[in-house]
Amino acid sequence: MGELHVLDHPLIQHKLSIMRNKDTGVKQFREAVNEISALMCYEATRNLPTEEIEIETPVAPAKVRVLAGKKLAIVPILRAGLGMVDAMIDLIPSAKVGHIGLYRDPETHEPVEYYCKMPPDISERQVFIVDPMLATGGSVVASIQILKEKYGCKNITLMDIIAAPEGVARVQKEHPDVDIFVCAVDEKLNEHAYIVPGLGDAGDRIFGTK
Ligand code: PRP
Ligand code: URA
């Protein structure tokens, strides 16, 4: 089963409290998403393989460690996932970015695909899916399915800021090979499939559309 990592670092939890607060405005909300994403990236990449190389410092030769193994790709689920991309590519500038456009049908809560564009060598890359909210899990499960079946991706990690227990269970059941990094697993979903207590609609709060 994919491992669930709940990131309880005090800086993350403090910034998450800013995101959750209904009085937080768009600017501060975006800044918190950006900062949390950087901290999540640090944790989610902790086990990336490294290799030893030799360089010269101004003082002496030195054996140092650099990233090795597969190259990386960041895949935001549009729209809200876009809010997490800048922080990721600031830290991993060589990563390529693929986009999956999905929105939840307001009646059925099922994901509807409207866009998909991946780097050509995505199947060779370690993929980090980013999306602030994992609610029913429908969007993420559909995205993982597209990445595996259409693009041949084998190595996928999921990063969500807030998850509902239902979404975590669904991803673990349908894609047990995927490790999941979240900052909180909340209580439940409400009748509109919103996370409780959650933070409301992440896309609207990032882009100021409500
Ligand atoms: C939100 C969120 C996730 C999805 C989670 O996107 O960003 O992608 O809902 O819900 P699920 O786990 O039940 O699928 P939304 O559909 O609101 O689109 P948006 O990002 O364009 O606002
Ligand atoms: N999407 C959101 O943006 N928020 C939720 O609580 C659930 C889905």
Side-chain angles (χ1 to χ4, degrees):
M1 165 134 9
E3 214 173 313
L4 173 66
H5 304 260
V6 182
L7 306 178
D8 61 356
H9 191 289
L11 288 177
I12 291 180
Q13 292 304 315
H14 182 84
K15 291 172 195 302
L16 185 55
S17 75
I18 294 170
M19 288 182 66
R20 286 188 189 278
N21 192 326
K22 68 177 172 45
D23 295 328
T24 297
V26 170
K27 176 173 184 289
Q28 231 192 334
F29 188 89
R30 256 187 222 143
E31 285 166 358
V33 172
N34 196 53
E35 290 164 358
I36 286 185
S37 302
L39 294 165
M40 291 185 80
C41 179
Y42 175 78
E43 291 290 352
T45 53
R46 182 177 287 283
N47 293 322
L48 288 181
T50 58
E51 64 187 359
E52 191 176 86
I53 61 165
E54 288 197 30
I55 57 150
E56 301 246 347
T57 77
V59 179
K63 292 183 171 147
V64 294
R65 303 206 68 81
V66 294
L67 289 174
K70 286 184 192 303
K71 295 210 161 53
L72 308 184
I74 317 301
V75 176
I77 303 178
L78 307 182
R79 285 175 305 172
L82 286 176
M84 299 176 72
V85 173
D86 284 355
M88 299 286 292
I89 52 180
D90 275 353
L91 292 174
I92 315 167
S94 64
K96 298 271 174 68
V97 182
H99 295 85
I100 296 183
L102 294 174
Y103 69 87
R104 287 201 321 181
D105 182 290
E107 301 295 323
T108 65
H109 309 136
E110 286 300 314
V112 181
E113 184 185 339
Y114 61 88
Y115 186 77
C116 192
K117 180 85 179 172
M118 292 296 145
D121 59 352
I122 186 89
S123 65
E124 303 305 315
R125 291 175 178 264
Q126 175 163 359
V127 175
F128 290 83
I129 296 178
V130 295
D131 189 344
M133 309 304 274
L134 174 61
T136 63
S139 304
V140 159
V141 162
S143 301
I144 297 173
Q145 214 160 317
I146 292 167
L147 287 166
K148 285 182 177 173
E149 288 173 11
K150 193 164 165 199
Y151 294 95
C153 298
K154 291 172 277 301
N155 199 337
I156 300 173
T157 301
L158 174 62
M159 293 170 57
D160 280 283
I161 296 177
I162 298 181
E166 294 89 333
V168 172
R170 184 159 172 201
V171 176
Q172 287 184 322
K173 178 161 179 267
E174 298 194 28
H175 297 286
D177 55 307
V178 172
D179 282 342
I180 307 172
F181 288 80
V182 300
C183 304
V185 179
D186 278 9
E187 195 189 323
K188 60 178 183 183
L189 295 174
N190 68 14
E191 65 276 21
H192 305 293
Y194 269 74
I195 300 174
V196 180
L199 50 70
D201 188 304
D204 282 343
R205 296 197 65 184
I206 291 171
F207 296 108
T209 42
K210 215 168 215 171

